[in-house]
Amino acid sequence: MAQLLREGLGENSRKRFFPRCQVKDVYITVSIGLAQYKSQEDIKAFVNRVDQLMYQAKKNGKDRVCSES
């Protein structure tokens, strides 16, 4: 699943043209944290897990998806 997201979102964002940005080229990168909600989990704990995964993806480089094992 993470690989499908990375490939699909990465390709779509790189192919996008931004006509209003005529001064210079604009490049978009995507960093995603991917986790599954656990039954009875506190929503704040879930968001924190996903947030940490997103920051790990950013740390690993551009256009990354970081998911739980």
Side-chain angles (χ1 to χ4, degrees):
M1 177 70 151
Q3 183 176 357
L4 290 173
L5 273 173
R6 178 177 53 246
E7 291 171 359
L9 289 175
E11 284 300 314
N12 286 331
S13 63
R14 281 190 290 276
K15 291 180 181 177
R16 213 167 268 271
F17 176 66
F18 295 92
R20 297 187 196 276
C21 301
Q22 298 173 359
V23 176
K24 60 181 179 176
D25 292 339
V26 175
Y27 299 95
I28 294 178
T29 62
V30 178
S31 298
I32 297 173
L34 183 65
Q36 183 172 350
Y37 179 75
K38 297 176 183 176
S39 180
Q40 305 299 317
E41 181 177 23
D42 178 69
I43 191 67
K44 288 183 181 182
F46 172 67
V47 170
N48 186 53
R49 277 192 306 119
V50 174
D51 194 47
Q52 293 303 310
L53 289 166
M54 187 262 313
Y55 281 109
Q56 184 63 46
K58 291 171 94 46
K59 182 179 174 183
N60 291 344
K62 297 178 180 180
D63 292 324
R64 303 288 179 170
V65 175
C66 191
S67 61
E68 297 177 320
S69 306

